[in-house]
Amino acid sequence: MIKFIIRRLILLIPVLVGVSIIAFLMLHLAPGDPAELLAGLEASAEDVAALRVRFGLDKPLFIQYFMFLKGLFDGSLISLKYEMPAASVIIPRIFNTLKLACASIVVAVAVGTVAGILSAVRRHSIVDYLSTTMALLGVSMPVFWWGLVLIMIFSVYLMWLPSGGMGGLRYLVLPAIVLGTSSAGVIARMTRSSMMEILRQDYITTAKSKGLPSRIVIYRHALRNALIPTVTVVGLEFGYMLAGAVLTETVFSWPGVGRLIVDSIMARDYPVVQASLLLVAGLFVLVNLGVDVLYAFLDPRIRYD
Amino acid sequence: MEPLLEVKDLATYFYTDEGIIKALDGISFSINEGEILGLVGETGCGKSVTATSIMGLIPSPPGKIVRGSILFKGKDLLSLSEQQMRRIRGKDIAMIFQDPASSLNPVLRVGFQVAEAIWAHLKTPIREAMLKAVELFGLVNIPDPHTAVNRYPHQLSGGMKQRVMIAMALSLNPKLLIADEPTTALDVSIQAQILSLIKILQRDYGSSVLLISHDLGVISTMAHRVAVMYSGLIVEQGRVEGLFQSPLHPYTQGLLAAIPRVDEDISELAVIEGTLPNPINPPAGCRFHPRCPWAMEICKSKRPAFKAVKPYHEVACYAYAD
Ligand SMILES: Nc1ncnc2c1ncn2[C@@H]1O[C@H](COP(=O)(O)OP(=O)(O)O)[C@@H](O)[C@H]1O
Ligand SMILES: [Mg+2]
């Protein structure tokens, strides 16, 4: 197992190199000149040229790429927009994003698995219809609309929770619910279908034939098997939360990395975009590694050596 | 003496989108203490449904026991609550299944799965129950039981898995063991070992066994009495010697004639013409009449009743209605 983890961590290197090249090329081949944007509308051609030299934008592409790599390692990477080290721009944002993603995945897993289990155990009952309808709604509701609805109810009318910004746990509640809603729907559907599949298996009949209480049959015998496919989905959803929370972050003015990337693309802040993408890609790979490790814990048939 | 298990007019239907499957349509039989009753019949005739009906594990929906009674030690199992039935399952009546590969939970250690059965009924702490599991593994001849209890199902062969199932079934010394095709999924070389294990344990424990098989060879070596099933009904039952030597029902005769014998030419193997009827729309009267060489007019309209033609040998067929 340890060997497997090390091997996967080594594999991370080519993945990151690939991501960095793609991100680098995409940005540099896209139209728009950061120097012009930075200099402003009234700047003279000389001003722009000076900025270009200052940030090394006049050098050939591959030199710029290696300067970027060097900057990543020695911390000399500078944000073009904020004119400060890219690390101090990105790191706090990454932590904010992780905080939101973790809270959201907890919400999504808790709501999704419980709804999925109830649905499967009492299929074709009111509970099942309610929960499958909610799951469908959750998956298809636009984040913007759902976020605003919650703000209307809990911030404007009830005044229980803040409508945006960062602070204590109270600030986390609404964004975590909004970001977790569609994942909860996806997880609920997955749990329901895998649970129903497992409840038909012969070993469930065996478990019942031993005289085990149905609580044990469901949680010990069925759920552990049903969670195996669910874990994959949870991993994927968590990955999307790391990178794709822009809308939620915008609605709740949450200073996460998703908004940072979008803003930086607008400003052609190449170093920040590239470094952020690299970090997010690295986290994505680590999450997948975590999922594979979890697999081995849930399913003794899986061995990684 | 009162029989251990007495099934009377048991009918189990499945309400499916295609129609009502009358998987069992009024079967009656009994099993005495210490007796092995063989239940034979073609695939799909309702043998497994009989077993699951007794265990109270018919999936509902779509299944439902619509009439009859299942008296176990004189008590009707069908009148018990789920709670009461659970105390009987695994303790008084235990079951082993056809496919050991799918009957054990893949994510739990096999020893734990046995220990859990003991825990479920005696509330023995799992740690202690595991010691009992080691003992049971030894009893069913699993080599190196101390290590074997900690294995997962995928680490054991089919034969070993079935031994685990037997250990599990015997863990609480049940009065009745239901073995549903216990050797069908196993290699021929392993089959004999498993069967003799069941027979030895049955004798030592004094349990009764309902042995289900479509293999007449298995039944003839193992059972004391046989019940022959056809399309949700029992058509003939009696002691093994009598029934195998002089089968009465034309279906039983056909089944026996279909067994290849070492001293006969295989090419002359007799087979019964036709197939098992559709359980949604079974033929009226005797369900076997469309395939029966002796079919008479009455067979097409009225179901024949059971009749003891000889001592301990009953048949449901108009050919014996003098
Ligand atoms: N869960 C179920 N739903 C619908 N039909 C079933 C179900 N279980 C069994 N049956 C039907 O009951 C009949 C008897 O099946 P079974 O008892 O499994 O036969 P076998 O004698 O081979 O064990 C078959 O026609 C089968 O289709
Ligand atoms: Mg069967």
Side-chain angles (χ1 to χ4, degrees):
Chain A
M1 181 57 115
I2 303 283
K3 256 201 223 143
F4 165 78
I5 294 175
I6 293 173
R7 216 165 47 221
R8 286 283 296 265
L9 287 177
I10 293 172
L11 263 172
L12 196 58
I13 297 168
V15 170
L16 292 181
V17 170
V19 170
S20 71
I21 293 178
I22 292 168
F24 185 84
L25 284 180
M26 272 200 323
L27 280 172
H28 285 265
L29 297 179
D33 183 341
E36 250 166 55
L37 280 171
L38 278 169
L41 283 177
E42 273 114 67
S44 66
E46 289 88 68
D47 289 345
V48 174
L51 270 177
R52 225 177 251 140
V53 173
R54 187 169 145 215
F55 293 121
L57 295 169
D58 54 338
K59 305 247 166 47
L61 267 191
F62 76 93
I63 303 273
Q64 285 192 47
Y65 178 69
F66 283 109
M67 278 168 55
F68 163 70
L69 285 188
K70 178 174 167 290
L72 265 187
F73 287 106
D74 64 10
S76 65
L77 203 63
I78 300 288
S79 159
L80 303 184
K81 184 181 170 199
Y82 301 99
E83 303 201 29
M84 55 190 221
S88 50
V89 176
I90 299 169
I91 305 285
R93 298 294 196 105
I94 285 280
F95 275 107
N96 291 343
T97 289
L98 276 174
K99 201 157 127 191
L100 178 57
C102 289
S104 306
I105 204 73
V106 167
V107 170
V109 169
V111 175
T113 47
V114 170
I117 294 168
L118 286 180
S119 258
V121 172
R122 314 183 171 277
R123 66 173 170 285
H124 304 312
S125 70
I126 301 281
V127 183
D128 183 21
Y129 291 130
L130 261 177
S131 117
T132 35
T133 312
M134 302 264 275
L136 184 66
L137 275 178
V139 172
S140 41
M141 230 164 10
V143 167
F144 255 111
W145 182 80
W146 179 223
L148 291 177
V149 167
L150 289 185
I151 289 175
M152 285 276 278
I153 299 174
F154 293 100
S155 310
V156 179
Y157 288 125
L158 298 172
M159 292 198 279
W160 286 350
L161 294 163
S163 66
M166 280 197 56
L169 214 57
R170 295 174 60 236
Y171 287 83
L172 200 54
V173 177
L174 289 184
I177 292 175
V178 170
L179 185 58
T181 298
S182 81
S183 303
V186 174
I187 292 169
R189 287 176 174 189
M190 189 70 211
T191 308
R192 177 181 189 266
S193 68
S194 62
M195 196 72 182
M196 275 171 40
E197 170 71 28
I198 299 291
L199 285 172
R200 275 198 298 270
Q201 300 297 311
D202 290 346
Y203 55 80
I204 297 300
T205 312
T206 307
K208 289 180 187 160
S209 79
K210 282 190 268 192
L212 292 173
S214 57
R215 169 174 50 87
I216 301 265
V217 174
I218 290 168
Y219 291 101
R220 187 184 290 162
H221 286 262
L223 187 58
R224 239 191 101 181
N225 285 285
L227 279 184
I228 296 167
T230 308
V231 163
T232 319
V233 172
V234 172
L236 282 175
E237 292 296 315
F238 190 66
Y240 294 140
M241 285 174 180
L242 291 177
V246 192
L247 292 181
T248 310
E249 289 173 3
T250 307
V251 172
F252 291 97
S253 329
W254 186 270
V257 80
R259 251 173 76 209
L260 176 67
I261 293 177
V262 172
D263 291 348
S264 305
I265 291 174
M266 298 294 188
R268 299 295 183 275
D269 193 347
Y270 295 161
V272 171
V273 178
Q274 288 160 6
S276 311
L277 286 179
L278 217 51
L279 258 172
V280 170
L283 282 177
F284 203 99
V285 175
L286 287 181
V287 167
N288 274 313
L289 175 58
V291 165
D292 286 344
V293 170
L294 205 56
Y295 262 164
F297 270 102
L298 285 173
D299 190 344
R301 284 165 297 186
I302 294 176
R303 279 280 152 271
Y304 293 125
D305 31 46
Chain B
M1 194 183 67
E2 173 181 82
L4 177 71
L5 180 84
E6 195 170 6
V7 173
K8 287 184 189 160
D9 192 32
L10 180 68
T12 304
Y13 294 175
F14 291 95
Y15 296 83
T16 67
D17 293 340
E18 289 78 44
I20 302 171
I21 298 178
K22 299 179 175 175
L24 299 180
D25 208 4
I27 62 164
S28 304
F29 63 89
S30 60
I31 303 177
N32 295 318
E33 301 254 358
E35 182 181 53
I36 301 183
L37 176 73
L39 189 61
V40 273
E42 285 166 279
T43 301
C45 70
K47 304 182 298 292
S48 295
V49 172
T50 306
T52 25
S53 296
I54 296 170
M55 292 297 285
L57 291 175
I58 290 290
S60 160
K64 193 170 186 296
I65 295 179
V66 293
R67 32 165 230 282
S69 57
I70 302 171
L71 302 177
F72 180 73
K73 294 198 276 190
K75 210 166 29 176
D76 188 359
L77 299 183
L78 297 182
S79 70
L80 299 184
S81 69
E82 171 59 23
Q83 178 90 8
Q84 291 167 318
M85 196 57 213
R86 216 174 60 216
R87 282 194 214 116
I88 288 180
R89 253 181 239 138
K91 183 160 185 296
D92 296 312
I93 309 178
M95 183 161 172
I96 51 184
F97 300 86
Q98 173 164 349
D99 188 1
S102 61
S103 303
L104 287 165
N105 192 325
V107 304
L108 299 174
R109 296 177 197 277
V110 288
F112 177 81
Q113 297 189 52
V114 173
E116 193 185 37
I118 302 167
W119 168 83
H121 293 283
L122 306 181
K123 292 286 166 257
T124 317
I126 287 290
R127 208 173 275 276
E128 265 173 59
M130 281 297 265
L131 298 177
K132 182 80 202 293
V134 173
E135 215 176 280
L136 286 161
F137 274 34
L139 197 73
V140 296
N141 299 327
I142 294 177
D144 194 6
H146 282 279
T147 340
V149 285
N150 287 318
R151 297 230 181 273
Y152 288 99
H154 72 276
Q155 296 168 317
L156 302 178
S157 68
M160 283 304 145
K161 277 185 263 210
Q162 199 60 303
R163 283 171 200 269
V164 171
M165 287 298 292
I166 294 172
M168 185 189 290
L170 293 176
S171 59
L172 290 143
N173 200 352
K175 301 293 288 174
L176 175 65
L177 174 69
I178 301 177
D180 188 357
E181 314 244 12
T183 58
T184 307
L186 301 175
D187 284 352
V188 187
S189 55
I190 311 292
Q191 286 186 10
Q193 293 174 19
I194 296 290
L195 288 175
S196 73
L197 178 66
I198 293 178
K199 186 134 199 172
I200 290 167
L201 293 172
Q202 178 270 335
R203 210 175 43 211
D204 295 353
Y205 278 65
S207 312
S208 306
V209 179
L210 174 60
L211 178 68
I212 296 175
S213 182
H214 65 270
D215 184 339
L216 285 160
V218 168
I219 298 288
S220 69
T221 54
M222 295 282 293
H224 304 122
R225 269 188 324 118
V226 204
V228 181
M229 262 187 106
Y230 183 79
S231 179
L233 294 167
I234 289 175
V235 292
E236 177 167 4
Q237 54 180 321
R239 288 192 170 164
V240 166
E241 318 80 44
L243 194 139
F244 276 75
Q245 256 152 41
S246 50
L248 297 172
H249 199 281
Y251 177 63
T252 318
Q253 294 180 354
L255 274 186
L256 283 168
I259 304 180
R261 296 208 183 170
V262 260
D263 56 350
E264 270 176 27
D265 192 348
I266 303 285
S267 63
E268 278 173 33
L269 199 127
V271 210
I272 317 166
E273 297 267 324
T275 51
L276 212 55
N278 175 353
I280 294 175
N281 260 321
C286 171
R287 288 191 177 181
F288 186 62
H289 83 254
R291 292 167 84 179
C292 181
W294 309 341
M296 300 177 282
E297 216 37 57
I298 189 171
C299 305
K300 294 173 187 160
S301 54
K302 204 165 158 261
R303 187 186 292 175
F306 253 105
K307 185 166 185 280
V309 172
K310 299 177 192 171
Y312 307 111
H313 196 163
E314 305 174 290
V315 67
C317 178
Y318 286 114
Y320 302 93
D322 32 38

